[in-house]
Amino acid sequence: MTTAADAPLPAARSAVAPSAAAPDTLSDLSETAVLGRIFPRLPRASAQLLGPGDDAAVISAPDGRFVVTTDMMIQGPDFRLAWSTPHDLGWKAAATNLSDVAAMGARPTALVVAIAAPPSTPVSVLEGITDGLRDCCEALAPGCGVVGGDLSASDALTLAVTAFGDLEGRAPVVRSGAHPGDTVALSGRLGAAGIGLELLFHLGVDALGVPDRDRANALKLTHPTEVAAQLTPVPPIASGPLAAIAGATAMLDVSDGLAIDAGRIARASGVSIDFDSSCLGERIEVALGGGEDHGLLATFPPDAVLPHGFRRLGTVVAASASNVGEITVDGARHDQGGWDPYRGWDGAAG
């Protein structure tokens, strides 16, 4: 089985060559014609009983339940076209949803994707997004595919993905199950995506602060690991089911920053969490505050053997009414920062 750590980085490849004679923009084609260009590129889901082409898809739920999650990516607050290729966008849209499914201890089975775009958008952009969706599913969650979706028009390019998962007979791993004494552990990267975003905002813009494609491409060459962690994350999808099997008591996807997401587990569980600074790397503030690494943060019983890919970061601590949800580092209180979609956006769509 390919683990997230071994998973290949996204490669912009195409299973179906676009027709040179086809019109270039969405406004030149009917919705049916656009779908005809996209459908052949979509990955088929193993759980698919009925796929694209009807009013709704039908997917199997072998144990009688399914996990479902949804997420949006909007040009401006969530991505800049000067920094991300269409393939990058499709990859990230899939990866972030696959990670949420894995955080429940489930195996991703299917995606439904809705895309709204300006009518002037080249059809090749949607083809690139579709290729990114396909490549991410194949690399990180083999057997997961796109079973349907929708197309619409919008001033800003928008992707909305709904993901489904199979618990395979296991109980879901929720945020509210952590107990005092549990080990806090992480599978995946920590802080790299935050550094990548910092680099893009400082060095991937022109003199006026406008996102610049050439400068972003230069950063991809000089800082490939950090920029890729932000634009094309590789979450440890296989670690989710492994954590559930190993007895994880709580788990979530680290999307908004380690401190703020750990605080969510702590509040839901009525505990506090203490991180060991020696486990957080040299840039502790980046490790705690940088978001979008999409690693899996989990708690395990103190005597549990951590599954492959997980490393210890700290300990769950009993809390009183006054400090439930508190995050500390080596016992000292730490303010919970991180990503908030309603703060900090400068309004530039890029």
Side-chain angles (χ1 to χ4, degrees), residues 13-305:
R13 66 176 180 83
S14 173
V16 181
S19 171
D24 290 331
T25 68
L26 298 179
S27 61
D28 294 322
L29 295 176
S30 67
E31 181 181 15
T32 299
V34 173
L35 292 174
R37 294 270 291 267
I38 292 175
F39 278 169
R41 313 174 89 93
L42 294 175
R44 189 184 190 282
S46 298
Q48 174 181 309
L49 300 177
L50 181 65
D54 282 86
D55 288 337
V58 180
I59 57 176
S60 63
D63 79 349
R65 304 168 298 168
F66 59 84
V67 168
V68 61
T69 184
T70 192
D71 196 26
M72 296 178 66
M73 287 174 47
I74 302 174
Q75 181 186 357
D78 297 310
F79 64 86
R80 310 296 171 89
L81 288 175
W83 296 342
S84 297
T85 66
H87 189 276
D88 292 343
L89 298 178
W91 179 284
K92 188 169 184 176
T96 54
N97 280 274
L98 296 174
S99 186
D100 282 335
V101 170
M104 301 300 293
R107 177 180 59 83
T109 55
L111 304 179
V112 175
V113 182
I115 301 176
S120 60
T121 302
V123 178
S124 60
V125 170
L126 267 65
E127 291 176 322
I129 291 171
T130 304
D131 291 346
L133 290 164
R134 180 196 64 229
D135 292 345
C136 185
C137 287
E138 290 180 353
L140 303 185
C144 180
V146 179
V147 298
D150 190 27
L151 295 178
S152 188
S154 172
D155 290 337
L157 179 61
T158 301
L159 288 76
V161 178
T162 299
F164 299 86
D166 181 8
L167 288 164
E168 301 177 315
R170 297 181 294 271
V173 184
V174 295
R175 300 179 180 186
S176 57
H179 303 286
D182 282 356
T183 297
V184 180
L186 178 85
S187 178
R189 291 171 171 167
L190 190 58
I195 295 173
L197 189 62
E198 181 181 333
L199 288 168
L200 286 166
F201 271 112
H202 284 84
L203 301 177
V205 297
D206 63 18
L208 299 176
V210 177
D212 184 272
R213 189 180 307 276
D214 291 337
R215 287 177 170 83
N217 287 338
L219 276 175
K220 293 176 183 179
L221 296 176
T222 58
H223 298 82
T225 300
E226 295 85 354
V227 175
Q230 169 59 220
L231 301 183
T232 52
V234 184
I237 306 303
S239 291
L242 289 179
I245 293 169
T249 54
M251 184 161 55
L252 54 60
D253 157 70
V254 182
S255 55
D256 295 333
L258 179 62
I260 192 171
D261 285 326
R264 289 168 175 150
I265 285 181
R267 285 190 297 276
S269 299
V271 297
S272 63
I273 288 178
D274 182 57
F275 287 114
D276 184 338
S277 62
S278 66
C279 300
L280 298 177
E282 295 181 359
R283 298 184 63 178
I284 293 177
E285 290 305 315
V286 171
L288 290 167
E292 296 196 292
D293 281 306
H294 295 287
L296 296 180
L297 183 69
T299 60
F300 296 89
D303 58 349
V305 176

